[in-house]
Amino acid sequence: MSVGALAAAVMTAGPALPASAAGTGDAPVAEGGHEAAQAALESVVKDGAPGGIALAERGDATWTGRAGTADLTTGRQPRADDRFRVGSITKTFVATVMLQLEAEGTLSLDDTVERWLPGLVTGNGNDGSKIKLRQILNHTGGIYSYTDDAEFKQKEFGTDFLHHRYDTWTPRQLVRLAMNHRPTFAPGDSWNYSDTNYIIASMVIQKTTGRSYAHEIEQRILHPLRLDSTSLPGARARIPGPSGRAYSKLTGELAGPGEPNSATYDVTELNASFAGAAGEMISTNRDLNRFYRALFSGRLLKKPQLEEMMTTVKIEDMPAFSYGLGLMRLTLSCGVEVWGHSGGIQGSISQSMGTVDGRHVLSLNFNGDWNVHEQRLVDAEFCGA
């Protein structure tokens, strides 16, 4: 679920691959050429994940790319319509609902966490009365990320996962885990990506509407946009078909390096309640593109709320990267500015990015969580095509 790998990739991404570097994959190439993007897709798979899929849309033109293997046992190839776990891309959906509730007058982003969830954020120097809802959406509240807890990482991202993959976590358990740690900084003093923030956001949605955050996303976003391949599984462990398999080295760090000859584990089935609103969603590249196009066009948010979402916080030492309300802004190697989110969860690395007008969008997924340099593909699509 962490955005750290993407932020690092933004700083180290090399130039887009030239068109002459295209591989021999059988992915269709739209008129106008996406050879650089296809070559980048293949290079990412060569370096790490078993397989990858991508979908780019520019105006009415569409390019679908695929590389590698979706299932190491059967040899099945990736399919354009495969469903996968999108990880932290879930956060943009959650932030959209929060901003809709603000527009309706149900809540204010200047409300404190304590107002809606009294006594939740407390202990070890944590104080929910000093943290605004806006600060949990843009990660400036200083709340520790429960996914950084050493025991949690071993249980979920290390080999202990094999014994705990079906465990159920409640939102309150996850927040309590974070409250065992001191804040990373005082509210408003800095920026630090924290999955705990979006667990809290889901609890605020529940408190203000009387319905789960998953229900609100379904009614406000999925159904109106006909995102029929997108779901919030809760404790359901299986990914609805069609889908490939998801693989991890279970190193104890999500999206970390993996030794080439080390064991590879099938982690497709898991209870994603440990991720919740921070990263449990399942979707497809087509649905993700449709969502971000609708978001940027103003279909989901009124102008003031969309402007709030796109008001970003600069990140120290990362001039190419800034963060809004559940939304990232990246300046690529060629100077093109794109918006969207990345996502990582066991066995799955994803990213959805688009130009601010929504005319050019790209979504991608790799079915492994080690040595994945997905930023190559983003650069190739927006800079090299």
Side-chain angles (χ1 to χ4, degrees), residues 1-3 86-98 136-137 139 145-147 193-199 201 213 217 275-281 291-292 309 323 325-328 341-344:
M1 293 174 288
S2 174
V3 74
V86 309
S88 284
I89 295 173
T90 307
K91 291 180 172 69
T92 312
F93 289 76
V94 175
T96 299
V97 170
M98 290 282 281
I136 67 171
L137 295 181
H139 301 295
S145 181
Y146 68 90
T147 50
Y193 192 82
S194 173
D195 288 309
T196 311
N197 287 326
Y198 278 75
I199 302 300
Y213 92 95
I217 287 177
E280 73 164 286
M281 184 176 283
F291 166 67
Y292 279 102
M309 177 176 262
Y323 200 94
L325 305 184
L327 196 64
M328 301 173 182
H341 216 288
S342 66

Side-chain angles (χ1 to χ4, degrees), residues 99 102 301-309:
L99 285 160
E102 181 196 52
L301 293 176
K302 295 179 179 178
K303 185 177 179 179
Q305 278 68 42
L306 187 56
E307 289 178 350
E308 281 191 278
M309 177 176 262

Side-chain angles (χ1 to χ4, degrees), residues 24-343:
T24 58
D26 60 354
V29 178
E31 185 176 351
H34 285 264
E35 293 90 348
Q38 179 63 34
L41 177 63
E42 292 173 7
S43 77
V44 175
V45 169
K46 182 179 179 181
D47 287 348
I53 52 175
L55 176 65
E57 298 174 71
R58 189 169 191 172
D60 295 328
T62 298
W63 168 75
T64 302
R66 66 180 183 179
T69 305
D71 189 321
L72 293 175
T73 300
T74 66
R76 173 191 180 279
Q77 291 187 327
R79 288 176 43 172
D81 60 346
D82 275 346
R83 302 182 188 190
F84 49 85
R85 301 185 191 277
V86 309
S88 284
I89 295 173
T90 307
K91 291 180 172 69
T92 312
F93 289 76
V94 175
T96 299
V97 170
M98 290 282 281
L99 285 160
Q100 289 177 342
L101 292 173
E102 181 196 52
E104 294 162 10
T106 303
L107 55 77
S108 167
L109 295 189
D110 290 322
D111 292 342
T112 65
V113 173
E114 181 71 13
R115 173 179 176 181
W116 292 106
L117 303 169
L120 179 71
V121 175
T122 188
N124 287 314
N126 294 283
D127 186 350
S129 69
K130 297 180 180 179
I131 301 171
K132 296 179 180 180
L133 299 185
R134 180 179 285 101
Q135 292 172 320
I136 67 171
L137 295 181
N138 67 10
H139 301 295
T140 60
I143 296 175
Y144 182 89
S145 181
Y146 68 90
T147 50
D148 289 336
D149 179 85
E151 290 186 13
F152 179 91
K153 288 199 293 185
Q154 180 57 35
K155 182 177 288 188
E156 292 295 343
F157 305 139
T159 53
D160 287 359
F161 165 86
L162 301 172
H163 305 289
H164 294 283
R165 68 196 304 162
Y166 300 115
D167 290 358
T168 296
W169 294 77
T170 68
R172 286 194 175 272
Q173 283 178 310
L174 297 173
V175 176
R176 281 202 299 269
L177 183 59
M179 294 301 103
N180 290 333
H181 300 265
R182 293 191 60 80
T184 54
F185 50 81
D189 278 2
S190 187
W191 182 90
N192 186 64
Y193 192 82
S194 173
D195 288 309
T196 311
N197 287 326
Y198 278 75
I199 302 300
I200 294 171
S202 73
M203 298 172 74
V204 172
I205 292 171
Q206 173 86 44
K207 186 67 174 288
T208 58
T209 67
R211 296 173 293 273
S212 71
Y213 92 95
H215 174 89
E216 292 301 308
I217 287 177
E218 289 164 358
Q219 297 302 312
R220 293 169 176 270
I221 302 174
L222 304 190
H223 294 169
L225 296 183
R226 298 183 180 179
L227 305 184
D228 299 328
S229 297
T230 302
S231 60
L232 295 114
R236 298 188 300 275
R238 298 194 175 200
I239 300 176
S243 69
R245 308 300 294 177
Y247 299 97
S248 178
K249 296 292 186 180
L250 294 178
T251 63
E253 295 286 345
L254 183 63
E259 295 298 325
N261 297 319
S262 61
T264 299
Y265 301 93
D266 187 322
V267 296
T268 310
E269 290 192 9
L270 58 84
N271 180 336
S273 61
F274 79 91
E280 73 164 286
M281 184 176 283
I282 294 168
S283 192
T284 64
N285 284 332
R286 186 169 299 279
D287 274 11
L288 292 176
N289 279 355
R290 185 178 299 172
F291 166 67
Y292 279 102
R293 278 188 145 176
L295 179 64
F296 298 149
S297 72
R299 183 173 173 184
L300 293 172
L301 293 176
K302 295 179 179 178
K303 185 177 179 179
Q305 278 68 42
L306 187 56
E307 289 178 350
E308 281 191 278
M309 177 176 262
M310 296 181 126
T311 300
T312 62
V313 178
K314 293 182 179 180
I315 313 304
E316 187 176 357
D317 299 326
M318 289 189 286
F321 173 82
S322 61
Y323 200 94
L325 305 184
L327 196 64
M328 301 173 182
R329 180 177 65 187
L330 303 179
T331 302
L332 302 178
S333 62
C334 59
V336 171
E337 184 179 277
V338 292
W339 296 77
H341 216 288
S342 66

